[in-house]
Every structure is written in structure tokens, then in C-alpha cells.
Amino acid sequence: MCEQERHTISGGGASTGGAHQLKAFVMKEIGRVDFMEKPVPRLGPNDALVRTTRALICTSDSHTVQGGIGPREDLTLGHEAVGVVDSVGSEVKDFQPGDRVLVGAITPDWGDLASQNGYPSQSGGPLGGFKFANSKDGVFAEYFHVNDADANLAEIPDSIPDSAAVYCADMISTGFMGAENGNIPMGGTVAVLAQGPVGLMATAGARLRGAGLVIGVESVPSRQKLARTYGADGIIDFTSEDVVERILELTQGQGVDTAIEALGADVTFQSAVKITKPGGTISNTGYFGEGEFVRIPRVEWGVGMADKTITTGLCPGGRLRMERLLQVLQTQRIDPTHLTTHEFHFNDMERAFEVADKKLEDVVKVMISF
């Protein structure tokens, strides 16, 4: 396709076979989800329309439906997806219809001042890069819209299946962020509190970052097994022993160099502070969807002076981040598909969401095909 032909493919559903409507799975209101028909999104000059091929359900989708980000009406859910470029805006230079692409869960505005300051996930305000199923429709639809396409899309190599690539959108990116923000010293000791999908990827990330000892905290046997698969050297079951006492015992009373909070619960965050040695780092990846405050235990924080660093972050997005994560898959450093415990077709989305939302059938991650 020549350059001129590429740049004339733009507008709402130019390559959708003339369809003007799409099927979407939405949050009708707080506490209620359903399918509905919506107009195919129209494109600006820098945008792309992607036909969805695979998507994943995230716990954040449940938080959203429960009201975690406030009331929403007829909001298309979902922020983890891969697909095929359907059409592009007139100024998109690096992608064309037919390209297999990965889209990060976070799609920053790359000209924003926060992006220029090194914090693209916060472009447009706190958590402003979090657009899908927040400030715009998400990816649980036959097609979805991507802003700043040249900077937010990444082409998927032929050797990587959609079922693996889709994990880069959020789970790997967020989990690895927990390890990256944790300032893990080579050979250091790391505890990852909670072994859900993000925690499991944080465990894998800690191993890749050179941790000498990785301790996973988890009570569910199937997740304990996955934690060992992804690099945990030991597991602590919080239902049968005291996490803080056990970790201090394992570290000869010193505490860990890095504690990664991967649940988003006040009590877990407090434990993370308690088990971190002076000079260590508490790296938060958790989504705190309840309560007005998150507490820091005063004494174990050294009454504010123990040189314990608390780092936070929102899943890094953007093309470069996605391309790097795809390379991790291409070189077989990690296989994220072990996380997939359930698979559904998009037409069965209501049941799929119920399984994920209520954590039925020992679910870890639910894959949706289109």
C-alpha cells in the first residue's frame, strides 16, 4: 500500500465493511454490566482503530464496576488487548491496516508536560494516562480507539501469539514495574505480597532483576505453585503463619531489601513496611479501591526516619515499553500464558466477567477471544 493510500484510510470504521455500530461489553452503572451497541469510534489524524482479537479481564475492571473510580454510565470496560489495525488517521506514519498490534493499558498523551517530565502515565493529571475504561471507552468491544497511535501501538512479532502478547499490556508491565521501582540490589532479598497475576509477574521481574532470594506471600495452592514456577524460592501462607514474623526469621531479623505490595490492601501495605529493612524500598503496585486512608505503621517506619523509601507507579505504557516487553517474550525469558486459567468467547462475556469478578473456579486470569 502506497503512502497516499494509507493516509486516506481514516474516520469512523473506514475498513469495518461499512458497519457503523459495534458490540461492546459495558458498565451500565455502578454494580451492573451488560452488552450494548455503540457507534464505531471516529479517528483524529493521529489515531488508530483496532479490531480486537484477544483481551484479558483485570481485577481493576471489577473495581471500576464496584465504583472504585466513581460513577460511569454505559462505559465500555477493559484495558488489556491486542488486535489488528483496522484504520489509521492521516498523520499516522508507522502503522497501517493489517498490522498485528499490542496496545498498552496506559495510553499517554506524549506531548503533555507530565510526559516531558518523565511521567507519561500521569499525563493530563494524576492517572491521566489511564484512559481505557476510565476517561474513554475500553477494549471489550469488537473495535477500539487508540490515541497517539505511533507512540502507543507496538507491532507484534510473528513468533509471538496473541495469547502471550496480550499479557504485556498490563500484567507484565505492572508486575515488572514493581520490581523496577523496588531498587532490588543484585543478590538482594525480595518479598512479593500476594501472588495474583500482577504479583506473579512481579515475582518473575524480581528474579530477572537479579534478586538472590524471592519470597512469595500467598494462601491459594494453585497460585503458590505458579509463584514457584515464576521464581519464588519460598512461600509464606498468611492463613497459617504470621507473615512479618516469618520473614524477619528468614532474614535473620534484618528484613528484606524490597517489599512489593501487589494486592492493594491496607493491612498488606502495613506488612510491607514492617518487613522492609532500614534503607530498603516498599514498591507499591496495588490498586487501593477502598477506604479513605492507607496507614503507615509508625514504629516500624522508624517514626518517619528509617530511610525506608515508598515508591508508587501506574503501569507504564507506550510503544517503547511494549516493544521491550515483547522482546522479553521473544527471547523466552518468561511465559505468561501459565496465568490463563479460563478462556471464553466475547459472546460469553457475562459469564467470563462473573468468573473473574467473583474469583470462581480457582481463577487466575480470564482470556477473551473475539
Side-chain angles (χ1 to χ4, degrees):
M1 178 178 292
C2 71
E3 202 69 13
Q4 184 177 3
E5 288 173 327
R6 276 186 59 198
H7 288 178
T8 59
I9 298 176
S10 61
S15 297
T16 60
H20 299 289
Q21 297 285 312
L22 55 77
K23 183 178 182 180
F25 185 73
V26 306
M27 171 183 170
K28 297 293 293 181
E29 60 187 5
I30 290 177
R32 189 161 72 94
V33 296
D34 204 351
F35 283 108
M36 69 178 295
E37 296 289 317
K38 287 192 169 190
V40 173
R42 297 193 64 83
L43 302 183
N46 297 308
D47 304 339
L49 185 70
V50 176
R51 176 175 59 82
T52 320
T53 57
R54 292 286 190 282
L56 294 166
I57 299 177
C58 183
T59 302
S60 297
D61 295 310
S62 294
H63 289 319
T64 297
V65 172
Q66 293 160 9
I69 57 174
R72 297 291 191 276
E73 183 177 336
D74 295 341
L75 177 74
T76 303
L77 294 166
H79 54 264
E80 301 177 71
V82 296
V84 176
V85 174
D86 177 86
S87 50
V88 296
S90 59
E91 297 302 314
V92 176
K93 299 177 174 61
D94 297 335
F95 297 90
Q96 60 186 350
D99 288 345
R100 287 177 64 230
V101 290
L102 161 69
V103 186
I106 305 304
T107 52
D109 296 308
W110 290 94
D112 189 84
L113 291 178
S115 297
Q116 296 177 38
N117 195 35
Y119 298 96
S121 295
Q122 315 301 330
S123 62
L127 313 185
F130 175 26
K131 301 183 186 305
F132 290 136
N134 182 15
S135 60
K136 65 183 278 188
D137 279 336
V139 302
F140 291 163
E142 294 168 311
Y143 297 88
F144 63 91
H145 172 278
V146 182
N147 62 290
D148 276 6
D150 280 336
N152 284 320
L153 296 177
E155 189 164 4
I156 303 172
D158 291 341
S159 61
I160 302 176
D162 288 353
S163 58
V166 68
Y167 277 99
C168 296
D170 186 356
M171 296 300 95
I172 296 177
S173 190
T174 300
F176 281 17
M177 177 196 72
E180 291 165 308
N181 287 353
N183 301 313
I184 300 169
M186 189 66 69
T189 302
V190 179
V192 183
L193 288 83
Q195 295 292 310
V198 168
L200 289 164
M201 293 299 94
T203 294
R207 190 67 171 262
L208 289 172
R209 295 285 284 189
L213 176 67
V214 180
I215 304 165
V217 178
E218 180 56 60
S219 64
V220 179
S222 60
R223 296 187 180 207
Q224 293 176 347
K225 182 178 179 180
L226 280 170
R228 292 187 177 91
T229 297
Y230 285 118
D233 299 292
I235 303 292
I236 297 174
D237 183 344
F238 65 88
T239 65
S240 60
E241 56 186 331
D242 185 281
V243 171
V244 175
E245 288 182 3
R246 181 61 175 145
I247 288 179
L248 290 177
E249 179 185 333
L250 289 171
T251 58
Q252 292 75 52
Q254 295 184 37
V256 297
D257 294 290
T258 303
I260 301 175
E261 205 284 353
L263 182 63
D266 180 52
V267 65
T268 310
F269 182 80
Q270 290 187 58
S271 294
V273 175
K274 291 176 181 179
I275 64 175
T276 301
K277 67 173 61 171
T281 301
I282 300 99
S283 177
N284 182 72
T285 69
Y287 179 135
F288 291 84
E290 296 180 355
E292 291 300 311
F293 302 98
V294 177
R295 294 172 293 175
I296 299 174
R298 182 181 62 85
V299 173
E300 291 85 355
W301 194 34
V303 296
M305 296 179 286
D307 283 318
K308 295 188 182 186
T309 299
I310 298 173
T311 64
T312 71
L314 174 63
C315 172
R319 178 176 172 180
L320 179 60
R321 175 71 169 186
M322 296 299 109
E323 288 178 345
R324 286 175 170 169
L325 297 181
L326 286 168
Q327 184 163 264
V328 171
L329 299 187
Q330 198 167 22
T331 53
Q332 300 181 352
R333 297 290 193 273
I334 184 176
D335 179 2
T337 62
H338 297 305
L339 298 178
T340 303
T341 53
H342 294 70
E343 298 185 50
F344 292 88
H345 189 270
F346 182 51
N347 292 335
D348 299 319
M349 190 71 199
E350 289 178 282
R351 174 57 182 167
F353 191 81
E354 180 184 27
V355 169
D357 180 45
K358 296 180 179 179
K359 293 184 168 48
L360 305 177
E361 303 170 7
D362 224 8
V363 67
V364 176
K365 201 70 174 171
V366 177
M367 177 81 66
I368 307 298
S369 60
F370 288 75

